[in-house]
Amino acid sequence: MSLNTNTRSVLKNTKLLVIKIGSELVRGEKIDQVNQPWMDALAADVKDFIATGKRVIIVSSGGVALGRKALNISNNIAPNNIPLAKKQAASAVGQFHLFNGFNKAFAMQNIQTAQVLLTMSETENRRMNLNARETLNTLLDHDIIPIINENDTVSTKEIRFGDNDRLSVRVAQMTRADTTLLLSTADGLYTDNPHTNPDATHLPIIEELTDEHFNMAGDAVAGLSTGGMKSKIEAAENAMKSGIDMVITEGRELNAFSNLLESENKKSSLFIAQKCKESAHKIWIGSHMKPNGCAIIDDGALAALKNSKNRSLLPIGVLEIQGDFKRGDVIEIKDSTGKRVGMGLSAYSAVHAVRIIGKPSKEIISVLGFSGRNSLIHRSDMVLI
Ligand code: GLU
């Protein structure tokens, strides 16, 4: 079996693919120009792929990189060290060039594109998440390719994905895509840093992620990219848990995507999806990066939740409420030692929750003056870790 057999068979069976493209790939030789030949080649590859009945969504980085020159940001400054206001302004300049480049490339293939800018907080809001999903599905139904990036002009440190590795997995979860493909400057995961250790070996297939894999990834980030291998492994972990396969391959050469589909020897790392029985609703709850608060529960409640799938979290088993959340927000569930044991949608706001915790559910009506749900988090809105 060749290096690439497994990846090729996953892509062959994929119906909806999210392709994430790193900044280094879309940037031309001049800092403020897109690599149009590269984009043209990708559009031709995507056209061939969708001609076989498949659907594609693109998540591309490069907004900040392509706006650097206009904002006088030197190439020597790593993305994470650019002052926020300048970075946001750079993205406003660069995003136009980025989208324009893709739009031109796909127009040559007679394919329409649409620009979609998302923020983390929006995708963690149930209604906005559903709206974004509907928009993406409608675009796909009309054979329009969504070109997505984070809305960097409004995303502040606290509410941003930060790197598009995570964003691409969120998009895949949202749209129930089968696979996320990261076209990167790296051709996959190695047992060590291949630039410094000649004995480092490439891993073509990863069925289960362990601490060892996270150690292998290290923190190194090259050039204008934001996420390093570590953020890719974190994204892979999230994808695998949600039943989504992830592939990382080197994407700098022209037609890297079709090479991956056709060549026996193109290297890639394939992270195999777990069999996922969770509904889209529960995947969305479990993948929240910024829960709005927390319920600390007692040992009895923890045992009850763990021992039976049919149990909801009742107010009587909650020791403490933290944070300021509204009814319907996602909150963490922690045990009495502070360890996260689950996540769920709160049926009460924090203001109401603090008044009913420790009490039997039948007292809710007399304490609050209205009758709400018996549980603080209903089992259909809860994911245990
Ligand atoms: N959204 C950022 C940009 O367009 C990129 C984040 C990343 O590099 O992953 O520049």
Side-chain angles (χ1 to χ4, degrees):
M1 196 162 62
S2 84
L3 285 175
N4 197 17
T5 309
N6 293 305
T7 294
R8 288 169 69 202
S9 99
V10 161
L11 291 170
K12 211 172 140 208
N13 291 320
T14 292
K15 293 192 192 73
L16 174 57
L17 174 68
V18 176
I19 304 179
K20 183 260 168 177
I21 298 164
S23 298
E24 297 278 0
L25 278 47
V26 291
R27 192 177 58 99
E29 280 184 6
K30 289 205 180 129
I31 174 81
D32 57 339
Q33 284 178 6
V34 295
N35 188 344
Q36 196 64 52
W38 188 92
M39 289 178 162
D40 293 348
L42 178 87
D45 288 354
V46 169
K47 181 174 187 167
D48 291 345
F49 188 68
I50 58 180
T52 61
K54 299 176 186 304
R55 293 177 153 200
V56 167
I57 294 174
I58 289 180
V59 174
S60 183
S61 305
V64 174
L66 291 164
R68 275 179 182 252
K69 189 162 176 229
L71 272 295
N72 291 325
I73 305 166
S74 146
N75 264 353
N76 302 326
I77 304 180
N80 290 335
N81 296 334
I82 304 171
L84 184 63
K86 266 196 152 187
K87 194 166 168 174
Q88 293 180 319
S91 76
V93 175
Q95 180 61 32
F96 170 78
H97 297 298
L98 182 66
F99 178 69
N100 198 27
F102 279 118
N103 193 41
K104 272 196 216 158
F106 279 100
M108 272 165 43
Q109 306 297 335
N110 290 319
I111 297 174
Q112 289 216 23
T113 55
Q115 176 174 248
V116 179
L117 301 175
L118 294 172
T119 61
M120 185 181 72
S121 54
E122 283 161 8
T123 64
E124 300 207 340
N125 170 294
R126 179 108 191 107
R127 275 188 52 208
M128 289 192 187
N129 186 67
L130 291 175
N131 275 335
R133 186 173 80 185
E134 280 310 300
T135 303
L136 294 174
N137 285 336
T138 306
L139 290 169
L140 292 171
D141 286 344
H142 287 80
D143 299 323
I144 299 169
I145 306 238
I147 311 282
I148 303 178
N149 197 355
E150 182 159 13
N151 192 354
D152 292 307
T153 50
V154 297
S155 297
T156 60
K157 205 170 165 205
E158 299 74 37
I159 57 152
R160 68 195 305 264
F161 285 99
D163 64 73
N164 280 351
D165 302 324
R166 277 177 249 257
L167 173 61
S168 62
V169 173
R170 176 63 55 86
V171 168
Q173 289 166 334
M174 203 188 254
T175 54
R176 309 235 71 183
D178 312 282
T179 310
T180 300
L181 165 64
L182 306 188
L183 292 180
S184 164
T185 50
D187 55 12
L189 183 63
Y190 283 76
T191 52
D192 198 357
N193 184 343
H195 301 296
T196 51
N197 179 357
D199 295 329
T201 49
H202 176 262
L203 301 174
I205 183 157
I206 296 102
E207 289 187 47
E208 202 180 328
L209 277 174
T210 62
D211 288 348
E212 229 182 310
H213 292 112
F214 283 90
N215 292 338
M216 287 169 190
D219 284 323
V221 174
L224 304 178
S225 317
T226 305
M229 191 50 79
K230 198 163 192 174
S231 87
K232 293 183 175 40
I233 305 291
E234 282 166 6
E237 186 182 35
N238 199 356
M240 291 160 93
K241 275 201 270 187
S242 323
I244 300 164
D245 290 302
M246 179 183 270
V247 177
I248 303 178
T249 197
E250 227 269 42
R252 276 178 295 200
E253 84 256 18
L254 290 185
N255 302 105
F257 179 38
S258 58
N259 291 345
L260 182 70
L261 293 166
E262 283 153 26
S263 157
E264 293 284 325
N265 298 321
K266 173 116 180 112
K267 274 191 194 164
S268 64
S269 286
L270 167 66
F271 299 80
I272 305 273
Q274 290 169 11
K275 297 257 171 301
C276 178
K277 290 183 254 40
E278 300 285 33
S279 62
H281 179 57
K282 288 205 175 185
I283 290 174
W284 174 77
I285 292 171
S287 66
H288 262 65
M289 288 166 66
K290 280 262 166 213
N292 298 67
C294 169
I296 299 181
I297 64 173
D298 64 26
D299 297 346
L302 179 62
L305 294 181
K306 288 217 158 148
N307 292 337
S308 165
K309 283 207 165 126
N310 297 324
R311 302 299 278 268
S312 298
L313 177 62
L314 302 177
I316 196 162
V318 181
L319 298 168
E320 193 186 327
I321 292 290
Q322 293 174 351
D324 178 20
F325 50 87
K326 297 188 293 299
R327 179 170 168 250
D329 280 349
V330 170
I331 62 171
E332 289 176 287
I333 306 167
K334 289 186 178 170
D335 68 12
S336 53
T337 68
K339 193 172 133 220
R340 183 192 278 191
V341 293
M343 310 261 272
L345 288 189
S346 176
Y348 290 90
S349 66
V351 174
H352 287 146
V354 284
R355 292 171 57 196
I356 58 173
I357 57 172
K359 301 200 164 73
S361 299
K362 60 179 185 318
E363 288 181 18
I364 292 177
I365 186 159
S366 59
V367 175
L368 296 181
F370 62 87
S371 72
R373 277 199 160 181
N374 280 343
S375 50
L376 179 66
I377 300 177
H378 191 262
R379 60 178 176 276
S380 60
D381 295 327
M382 181 165 55
V383 187
L384 293 179
I385 296 165

